[in-house]
Amino acid sequence: MSVSEADILAAMSKVMDPELHVDLVKAGMVKDVRVTGDTVKLKIELTTPACPMKGKIQADSEAALKAVPGLKSFDIEWGAQVRSAAGAAPAGGLLPKVKNIILVGAGKGGVGKSTVALNLATALGQHGAKVGLLDADFYGPSVPLMTGLGDKKPVSPDGKSLDPLIAHGIKVMSIGFLVEADQALIWRGPMLHGALMQLVRDVNWGELDYLVLDLPPGTGDVALTLSQSIRAAGAVLVTTPQDVALADVVRAKQMFDKVHIPVLGIVENMSQFVCPNCSHVTPIFNHGGGRKAAEMFGIPFLGEVPLDLKVRESGDSGVPVVVGAKDSLEAKAFQEVARNVAGRVSAQSVKSMPLPVVQAR
């Protein structure tokens, strides 16, 4: 019995992407189908190199091909191409080479938002994505310290734009690189707006799959400015488990809803303290509040990160925990968060752009 390309595509159309809720053929993920007698070679192009469901997609694809009558062997090549969740004009036209902007915000300070933003960006880069990190927390820029870049200054190649600095495989920019470390920033809204737009518009970010923006805490001018100027793929809300932090998450969620920025999900930071000596788990700030808030809002729970000395030490030393302690529980938690965020951005891309046509040969 001969096998045709149509047979292969019919089989692969039964394989669903669990995150996107669409079959691989309709999603344009099946490419370069080559049938030779009773063998086939094809490529499956995932929507992100950090795909959280690759294992299931691979198992389901192999099972579908094994069920094709007459097919004796197959070879699947795996790839990834990040799509823009902002449609045909990424970042609202301000950053045409940036596919997706991810906002990391919190309703209050002290919940580890910058730590989450840095490790999220770095983890996405470790998966093979092109990533940038913009420290938009103008009143408390901590990214220079946490990346190990310290007092290094960005260079302007033409006197008009700035080249971002590089740390741990990602491009980095912060207002902290442009002002003295002990200089207090006392800016009103218009000054804040202008400075933020300069860091977005006048930095040579180049081609990026993801630009992670570390927002200042609260619901003030920066988030409103961004919502009016760019098209973000979505926002990640960071909280700690206790009730007072969760009350602020409610306000942050309502703000993003009002400015029509989709909330990708919630991260519970400092979830539980794990004793480094005996591994006893202590819920210092309570536990499970982030998941409860996600269920209340009907949005994804992106993961929980334990409270551990390594995370604090990594921030002070300028080496993110996903780099300096790759096998730790904390690093694995951040990697899970990164995969889940990438999956949610991919889901947004399916909603906002036409699906590509299948390529078969």
Side-chain angles (χ1 to χ4, degrees):
M1 178 183 295
S2 61
V3 180
S4 67
E5 293 176 359
D7 295 330
I8 301 302
L9 294 176
M12 297 305 294
S13 67
K14 299 176 183 177
V15 180
M16 300 292 292
D17 184 310
E19 189 78 31
L20 308 183
H21 304 293
V22 64
D23 72 74
L24 301 193
V25 174
K26 183 176 290 186
M29 295 164 64
V30 180
K31 300 178 179 294
D32 302 336
V33 179
R34 298 181 177 90
V35 178
T36 306
D38 54 8
T39 67
V40 66
K41 291 185 177 181
L42 70 154
K43 180 178 182 179
I44 297 179
E45 188 177 80
L46 303 172
T47 56
T48 173
C51 179
M53 305 302 294
K54 180 183 177 182
K56 178 167 176 53
I57 293 172
Q58 181 172 352
D60 291 349
S61 297
E62 292 175 354
L65 291 172
K66 288 177 182 178
V68 175
L71 184 65
K72 292 186 177 180
S73 66
F74 55 85
D75 180 18
I76 302 176
E77 176 188 355
W78 293 89
Q81 180 66 40
V82 176
R83 303 174 185 178
S84 172
L94 261 184
L95 296 168
K97 295 182 180 180
V98 176
K99 293 181 179 177
N100 298 290
I101 292 180
I102 300 171
L103 311 180
V104 179
K108 66 187 296 293
V111 298
K113 170 184 53 60
S114 294
T115 298
V116 172
L118 173 60
N119 281 278
L120 167 61
T122 307
L124 289 171
Q126 289 176 330
H127 281 288
K130 298 175 183 177
V131 183
L133 173 64
L134 173 55
D135 182 3
D137 190 349
F138 281 21
Y139 296 120
S142 54
V143 165
L145 171 66
M146 296 174 67
T147 55
L149 293 170
D151 58 359
K152 291 185 179 180
K153 303 295 182 183
V155 174
S156 176
D158 55 7
K160 299 179 181 179
S161 60
L162 294 172
D163 286 342
L165 300 177
I166 305 295
H168 312 296
I170 63 174
K171 297 179 179 180
V172 182
M173 181 53 66
S174 169
I175 191 66
F177 297 138
L178 306 177
V179 299
E180 298 301 323
D182 58 353
Q183 178 180 341
L185 293 181
I186 306 174
W187 288 354
R188 295 186 182 275
M191 296 175 66
L192 194 67
H193 172 90
L196 176 60
M197 284 302 96
Q198 278 192 290
L199 289 186
V200 172
R201 180 187 60 241
D202 297 337
V203 173
N204 301 317
W205 292 108
E207 294 186 0
L208 293 179
D209 295 316
Y210 307 102
L211 176 59
V212 178
L213 265 67
D214 178 21
L215 299 178
T219 56
D221 288 343
V222 170
L224 295 175
T225 293
L226 288 169
S227 68
Q228 294 164 356
S229 306
I230 65 173
R231 294 183 62 188
V236 173
L237 299 182
V238 182
T239 186
T240 47
Q242 70 267 42
D243 291 342
V244 65
L246 293 172
D248 290 301
V249 167
V250 173
R251 286 189 284 273
K253 170 67 167 60
Q254 291 172 340
M255 179 203 69
F256 285 118
D257 287 345
K258 288 180 180 178
V259 296
H260 307 293
I261 294 176
V263 174
L264 301 173
I266 293 177
V267 176
E268 182 175 289
N269 196 26
M270 308 182 203
S271 181
Q272 299 183 87
F273 172 69
V274 181
C275 177
N277 298 315
C278 66
S279 298
H280 178 72
V281 176
T282 304
I284 294 177
F285 300 117
N286 204 343
H287 178 249
R291 188 183 297 275
K292 186 185 301 182
E295 292 173 354
M296 179 178 69
F297 287 126
I299 59 178
F301 181 65
L302 300 170
E304 56 186 38
V305 181
L307 175 65
D308 190 274
L309 184 62
K310 287 191 290 295
V311 179
R312 194 274 300 165
E313 291 174 336
S314 69
D316 289 348
S317 67
V319 181
V321 71
V322 296
V323 175
K326 292 182 179 180
D327 296 326
S328 66
L329 289 175
E330 296 72 32
K332 292 177 180 178
F334 280 124
Q335 289 286 359
E336 180 186 7
V337 168
R339 289 190 293 270
N340 288 337
V341 169
R344 295 310 305 155
V345 172
S346 293
Q348 288 296 123
S349 74
V350 168
K351 294 179 182 178
S352 61
M353 68 185 297
L355 296 176
V357 177
V358 175
Q359 297 178 3
R361 297 181 182 176

